[in-house]
């Protein structure tokens, strides 16, 4: 690890390269000692299909890190295109993220769930591992709800934005259906 650290680029160059990577925006919510907590992440990703696992990273210095890494359950609220203010609110320090105008309700196991999101995954914490200055959290997906008409919020170039798909060859925004290959004997 020391050899890798000696060759690593500086943080600003690293951030500059990563700001070119567009990412979906997710607010992770959980309950810790009866108090709702949450934060915005752009590191959310699927980790496995079988079993269904998702993962995300949080800064070890985050005020939410102790509560999230010790909560038995959490929700991954995938934000809709019009929820940039909500994403910004859950990334700010020193504010009550669950106060108005945040719209939310309690879900299973007391998990705070955000309203009007594109999709929501209810997870049980499967693993928490320190990696560098972050904690990798992995969750087993136990339930999912999806708004099929919603478009996601995207983060790119240190700004939030919407997603507009390119037209596909069939003239729609959906990919053309592929026909299964015919088996020839």
């Amino acid at each position: 690890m020391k050899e890798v650290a000696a060759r690593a680029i500086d943080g600003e160059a690293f951030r500059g390269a990563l700001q070119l990577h567009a990412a979906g925006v997710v607010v992770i919510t959980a309950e810790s000692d009866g108090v709702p907590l949450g934060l915005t992440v752009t590191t959310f990703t699927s980790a496995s299909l079988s079993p269904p696992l998702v993962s995300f990273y949080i800064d070890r210095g985050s005020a939410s890190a102790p509560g999230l890494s010790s909560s038995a359950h959490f929700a991954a609220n995938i934000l809709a295109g019009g929820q940039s203010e909500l994403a910004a609110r859950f990334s700010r320090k020193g504010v009550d993220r669950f106060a108005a105008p945040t719209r939310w309700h309690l879900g299973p196991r007391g998990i705070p769930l955000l309203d009007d999101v594109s999709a929501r995954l209810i997870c049980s914490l499967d693993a928490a591992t320190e990696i560098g200055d972050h904690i990798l959290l992995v969750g087993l997906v136990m339930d999912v709800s999806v708004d099929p008409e919603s478009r996601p919020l995207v983060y790119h170039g240190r700004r939030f934005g919407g997603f507009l798909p390119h037209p596909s060859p069939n003239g729609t925004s959906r990919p053309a259906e592929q026909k299964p290959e015919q088996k020839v004997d």
Side-chain angles (χ1 to χ4, degrees):
M1 188 74 159
K2 288 181 183 179
E3 180 183 339
V4 172
R7 295 182 295 154
I9 62 170
D10 69 81
E12 279 306 306
F14 187 52
R15 276 189 216 88
L18 291 181
Q19 77 174 343
L20 298 176
H21 173 73
V25 183
V26 175
V27 171
I28 303 295
T29 54
E31 173 274 324
S32 179
D33 297 325
V35 176
L37 57 100
L39 78 161
T40 300
V41 300
T42 56
T43 58
F44 180 81
T45 190
S46 61
S48 169
L49 290 176
S50 183
L53 298 173
V54 294
S55 65
F56 63 95
Y57 292 87
I58 57 174
D59 187 314
R60 289 191 328 200
S62 165
S64 301
L68 279 175
S69 59
S70 64
S71 292
H73 300 90
F74 66 86
N77 300 272
I78 300 173
L79 299 190
Q83 293 182 306
S84 60
E85 287 299 319
L86 187 63
R89 181 177 188 82
F90 274 82
S91 65
R92 286 188 200 112
K93 295 178 181 177
V95 299
D96 181 352
R97 296 170 178 171
F98 290 91
T102 301
R103 296 182 53 231
W104 64 283
H105 63 279
L106 285 177
R109 296 176 173 81
I111 302 169
L113 305 176
L114 301 179
D115 294 340
D116 306 317
V117 296
S118 288
R120 179 182 307 111
L121 293 84
I122 306 292
C123 305
S124 64
L125 185 62
D126 190 68
T129 305
E130 290 188 7
I131 297 178
D133 59 1
H134 280 65
I135 302 170
L136 169 64
L137 297 169
V138 179
L140 176 67
V141 180
M142 301 170 11
D143 191 23
V144 64
S145 61
V146 176
D147 176 357
E149 300 301 316
S150 182
R151 294 209 175 159
L153 183 63
V154 177
Y155 188 72
H156 176 264
R158 298 183 183 175
R159 296 184 312 190
F160 296 111
F163 172 74
L164 293 174
H166 287 276
S168 67
N170 64 5
T172 70
S173 61
R174 301 207 183 275
E177 287 189 33
Q178 295 184 1
K179 296 180 180 165
E181 291 184 26
Q182 297 288 326
K183 199 174 197 180
V184 179
D185 293 327

